[in-house]
Amino acid sequence: RARTRIAHDLFRETLAAGIPVARRLALHQRIADALEHRHERGAAVLAADLARHCAAATPVEGGARAIRWARAAAEAERRRLAFGEAAAHLARARHAVEDSGAGDGGAVLVDLLVEEADAHARAGDPTRARALLDDARQRATAVGDGQRLGRVALGVQRLGSRFAMPRDAVVDALEEALAALHGTGTALEAQLTASLARELHHSVPEHRARARPLSEQAIALARRLDDPETLNACLLAQHDVLWTPGLAAQRVDIAREITQLAERAADPERHAEGLLLTANALLEEGSATFRSVLARYLHAAEQLRQPHHDYLAATRRGALALIDGRLDDAETLIDGASALGERIAEPDAGNVRMSQLLGLVRARREPAMLRATAADAVRWWVGVPSHANAVAAGLLVMAGDDADLDAARRALDTVVALDTWRTDRSYLWSVFVGAMTTAAIGLRDDTVCAQLLAELEPVTGSCGVNGALVCFMGSNAHWAGMLAAALGRKADAERWLSEALAVHQRLGARPWEAETRVELTALTAGQAGPVSPAPAGPAVAELRRDGELWRIRHRGTTAHLPAIKGLADLAVLLARPGTDVHVLELAAAATTDHAGGDQLDPTARAAYRRRLSEIDQDLEAARDDHDLGRVQHLDAQRTALLAELRRAAGLAGRTRALGSSTTERARKAVTARVRDAIRRVRLVHPELGAHLDRSVRTGTHCCYRPVEPLTWALAPGKG
């Protein structure tokens, strides 16, 4: 007999709605019975179909079967990484149990809420997950169920919190659950103790003293239980409370044990986490093997195919680009990871972005970016003012004008007055100590220099890494060498800087290698006294981009310098000897301050248009090379320059007041960065730097007029 099959959901739902309720419920139950019977006989039956019919039949048979098949369907969806679908199955069963009044007074609903929250979190919706856990916590408290309170608290803790801010809500949930389970000696008690230790350690400084004793209690309990999953959670807490300078070797062992336990337990998430922590600790030790472990971590994180782990992997690719000196790539990766973090409400995304931006702006050394990032640091790290002000002080010293130095002095005085910087040893310490070293040396504060050196001497054999491989902050020996040089301890300075140079070369940290080499050359060559006259013979020098660095070669000696804009400016001037170049051409994008002043003159217009033409040529080349990161970077430059030209030109192309501060600020910025570039060249090549100092004129128009014959080998720069 022919059968009619209705394929469209709307028709099916309309027909089903016309069936009396009792009849409809009975049909769902019969269909569920039939499907379950087929499943028992080995036929192919989708758990999702059974879950749907059992949920619909809950009013007539109770919720036990609906919950069982909802969990089976959710597990099937999790296996194919469809976490949103998994949450939907659990929600359907939960609503069916709630609506029918079935269940055991709320305990089953708590379990379903926790499982549903976990699925939403993995699907990249932590806001929904948090709301479900709040509901679960209220229900668990109402029924006085300590076990379920514990599961809720662990779910809340897994969602994460922002570093260096009070985590009161998470800590309260963990402490409430722990109080209910105190003395039970269960795996859940051990996991809650470990989670509380981690939260306290990652909270504000005054909470961290409680973390270590709790982590030790958790480890002792977990080892007695002989439960691999519980032991792994407790090892993670032990690792985190040991996350201080100089203890990387201990943490390597713990991280490797976490990885091995997770591998045996077939726990891919914990396995990936163990790999990341291992790579981080190896980098702190200055071991080049961090790269191979990091590669394994990135592969493992990709296989998880979850938004949270996609975000973590993207940020670590950004960190690796910073280490390699691929600054344009790093900027693209940082921006992309930050956008993903915001989209999935990743709680620590802002901290990670700020930390990585510190590395980026430090490498580029553009005064405007340094000032802006210094202000952002103070606003962002409100929970750790000593850290925030140390970072600001270091960046402002690097920006370098008189107003910046005054502001840096105030920030450094704030850190000293707070008097917490020598006791707090969180994993932000590496950022803090580098920034404070820069500030203390730049401000010639010998007292703070001596205090910092005393703190650094015991850990000169390790490197600074912010977070779990969020941003590399160089060998601690680099900072110690700089401090020793500032204090006149030349032998110690040379020894430590030589050690740092070897570490940076071994790690392939090219920007750090270049920076240490500059400091070491300045120390060993000395900056005092006249430069020796050039030997007779033809003089040839080279200035070329070498990846994200600049290569300088003169009379058989080669050195690399970080990719700062002043070197790109020099390359333009050297390519056009004797030609006046307007600062607006060198500035790429002028300032947006237009209050009052002169008219937009033909020279300035020509400078704008020449720069636009150069960007268009670079864009075409980047598109031909399929270099998407470079295309985005150049396109942003072009958009900003066009916007500036429109503002300067006025409506409908009519010339309007440009503002004296536009050209003046461009003049100041270009002068500062060209002079800074010449100073850096002089550190690695005193003779060449002296030639540039005598031959380069800066002002509204800049010009290279060689005072002695010198041939330059140049390549187009990507400033």
Side-chain angles (χ1 to χ4, degrees):
R1 185 174 63 171
R3 295 183 179 181
T4 301
R5 180 178 179 83
I6 301 172
H8 199 288
D9 287 342
L10 182 60
F11 288 116
R12 283 204 304 270
E13 290 168 7
T14 301
L15 291 172
I19 302 173
V21 173
R23 173 66 174 158
R24 188 165 65 246
L25 295 178
L27 285 172
H28 279 298
Q29 188 177 32
R30 286 177 59 191
I31 293 170
D33 291 341
L35 289 173
E36 202 167 50
H37 182 61
R38 290 185 64 190
H39 174 73
E40 290 168 356
R41 292 170 58 194
V45 174
L46 292 177
D49 288 340
L50 259 164
R52 181 167 57 84
H53 288 293
C54 289
T58 296
V60 295
E61 68 174 30
R65 187 161 64 156
I67 292 170
R68 185 174 75 251
W69 283 108
R71 284 174 169 153
E75 178 57 30
E77 300 294 357
R78 277 193 288 264
R79 282 197 298 270
R80 68 184 190 90
L81 307 174
F83 298 104
E85 293 297 322
H89 288 304
L90 295 166
R92 184 190 298 113
R94 175 171 61 83
H95 290 310
V97 171
E98 284 181 306
D99 293 343
S100 67
D104 58 355
V108 167
L109 291 175
V110 172
D111 291 340
L112 287 172
L113 283 163
V114 172
E115 294 169 41
E116 187 183 340
D118 180 71
H120 277 295
R122 292 171 188 274
D125 189 1
T127 303
R128 177 62 180 153
R130 199 175 299 276
L132 291 167
L133 289 170
D134 287 343
D135 186 6
R137 185 181 179 188
Q138 292 174 12
R139 293 172 185 266
T141 302
V143 298
D145 191 325
Q147 288 284 328
R148 286 177 169 84
L149 265 177
R151 292 172 195 162
V152 172
L154 290 176
V156 172
Q157 191 266 340
R158 278 194 296 270
L159 286 179
S161 299
R162 178 175 158 188
F163 180 83
M165 290 293 287
R167 301 182 170 204
D168 296 338
V170 182
V171 168
D172 287 349
L174 291 167
E175 288 186 324
E176 179 187 15
L178 198 52
L181 293 170
H182 180 68
T184 58
T186 59
L188 187 54
E189 182 186 4
Q191 290 178 27
L192 287 166
T193 305
S195 294
L196 181 58
R198 290 191 74 201
E199 288 302 307
L200 291 170
H201 181 74
H202 294 311
S203 185
V204 291
E206 53 266 29
H207 289 175
R208 292 175 195 154
R210 296 176 54 201
R212 180 170 290 199
L214 285 168
S215 75
E216 292 169 352
Q217 292 172 28
I219 281 286
L221 179 54
R223 292 202 185 277
R224 287 200 301 271
L225 290 169
D226 192 26
D227 178 349
E229 182 182 350
T230 299
L231 178 57
N232 232 342
C234 297
L235 284 169
L236 192 58
Q238 184 185 45
H239 170 279
D240 283 10
V241 299
L242 293 175
W243 208 334
T244 59
L247 298 181
Q250 293 181 47
R251 285 187 283 110
V252 166
D253 292 339
I254 295 171
R256 283 175 171 159
E257 186 176 1
I258 290 171
T259 306
Q260 291 163 3
L261 282 170
E263 204 164 17
R264 288 203 296 270
D267 184 344
E269 286 188 89
R270 193 71 83 191
H271 179 256
E273 190 170 20
L275 289 171
L276 177 59
L277 295 176
T278 303
N280 180 77
L282 289 169
L283 180 56
E284 284 187 49
E285 289 192 303
S287 171
T289 58
F290 91 91
R291 288 181 180 270
S292 62
V293 180
L294 180 61
R296 290 174 60 200
Y297 160 73
L298 292 172
H299 176 73
E302 286 172 354
Q303 302 310 302
L304 293 170
R305 291 172 56 195
Q306 296 179 31
H308 170 69
H309 292 285
D310 290 343
Y311 164 77
L312 293 179
T315 55
R316 274 55 187 189
R317 288 193 182 90
L320 188 59
L322 285 172
I323 292 172
D324 294 342
R326 295 178 284 113
L327 302 185
D328 288 346
D329 289 346
E331 184 174 17
T332 300
L333 288 164
I334 291 168
D335 288 345
S338 179
L340 174 58
E342 289 181 9
R343 191 161 62 248
I344 65 173
E346 188 69 28
D348 217 29
N351 283 320
V352 171
R353 176 176 173 77
M354 275 298 304
S355 299
Q356 294 190 324
L357 282 179
L358 295 181
L360 184 64
V361 301
R362 192 179 180 284
R364 284 186 167 157
R365 297 175 182 262
E366 297 175 16
M369 290 179 66
L370 291 165
R371 293 184 192 105
T373 309
D376 287 344
V378 174
R379 285 193 295 267
W380 185 258
W381 281 304
V382 293
V384 277
S386 59
H387 173 79
N389 281 279
V391 167
L395 295 177
L396 289 168
V397 162
M398 292 172 68
D401 69 19
D402 290 342
D404 294 325
L405 294 177
D406 288 343
R409 179 73 263 176
R410 291 192 295 273
L412 186 60
D413 287 344
T414 300
V415 179
V416 173
L418 288 168
D419 198 31
T420 58
W421 61 277
R422 282 180 285 178
T423 56
D424 182 19
R425 287 291 188 272
S426 75
Y427 54 59
L428 285 177
W429 189 79
S430 58
V431 178
F432 171 93
V433 76
M436 201 165 175
T437 294
T438 303
I441 293 173
L443 296 170
R444 297 178 173 82
D445 191 326
D446 288 350
T447 300
V448 175
C449 284
Q451 292 172 338
L452 284 166
L453 185 54
E455 297 294 320
L456 277 162
E457 280 195 71
V459 293
T460 52
S462 62
C463 297
V465 184
N466 177 24
L469 224 159
V470 168
C471 185
F472 179 66
M473 292 306 297
S475 166
N476 290 327
H478 173 89
W479 303 115
M482 290 179 63
L483 289 164
L487 294 169
R489 293 168 52 179
K490 184 174 180 180
D492 287 334
E494 187 171 352
R495 172 168 55 86
W496 280 322
L497 287 170
S498 297
E499 291 174 7
L501 182 61
V503 169
H504 294 154
Q505 288 174 325
R506 183 166 66 244
L507 293 174
R510 297 183 68 193
W512 286 95
E513 177 188 345
E515 186 169 333
T516 305
R517 194 183 296 279
V518 166
E519 298 294 340
L520 189 58
T521 303
L523 179 72
T524 55
Q527 300 182 54
V531 177
S532 302
V540 178
E542 181 183 38
L543 178 65
R544 295 181 187 272
R545 279 297 288 267
D546 185 1
E548 290 294 335
L549 300 176
W550 283 88
R551 184 173 72 245
I552 299 172
R553 181 177 297 163
H554 185 50
R555 298 196 181 280
T557 301
T558 301
H560 284 85
L561 289 175
I564 59 174
K565 283 195 172 181
L567 290 171
D569 296 334
L570 276 178
V572 173
L573 298 176
L574 297 175
R576 293 150 67 179
T579 302
D580 286 343
V581 181
H582 197 280
V583 288
L584 289 178
E585 180 178 349
L586 294 172
T591 177
T592 58
D593 183 359
H594 301 292
D598 302 329
Q599 297 294 309
L600 185 60
D601 56 57
T603 303
R605 281 181 174 276
Y608 274 116
R609 289 170 179 155
R610 186 159 46 246
R611 180 58 183 150
L612 277 171
S613 176
E614 291 170 354
I615 290 175
D616 287 340
Q617 291 174 15
D618 287 348
L619 261 173
E620 186 177 353
R623 289 186 178 115
D624 289 344
D625 293 340
H626 304 289
D627 188 342
L628 296 181
R630 183 73 179 151
V631 167
Q632 291 176 350
H633 180 68
L634 288 166
D635 193 52
Q637 281 191 26
R638 189 179 191 280
T639 300
L641 194 59
L642 284 171
E644 181 59 32
L645 184 56
R646 282 193 295 271
R647 283 191 291 267
L651 294 173
R654 294 190 298 273
T655 300
R656 65 179 249 187
L658 176 62
S660 59
S661 61
T662 302
T663 300
E664 177 62 14
R665 288 178 66 180
R667 182 190 67 78
K668 289 181 177 179
V670 170
T671 297
R673 66 198 199 196
V674 167
R675 291 300 162 193
D676 179 57
I678 292 173
R679 179 186 65 81
R680 289 166 178 271
V681 172
R682 190 162 189 164
L683 288 173
V684 295
H685 284 303
E687 176 192 334
L688 192 57
H691 166 83
L692 291 171
D693 197 34
R694 295 193 298 268
S695 303
V696 173
R697 187 193 75 232
T698 54
T700 303
H701 291 83
C702 301
C703 184
Y704 169 62
R705 297 183 187 278
V707 295
E708 55 264 327
L710 185 61
T711 301
W712 285 92
L714 304 166
K718 297 180 181 180

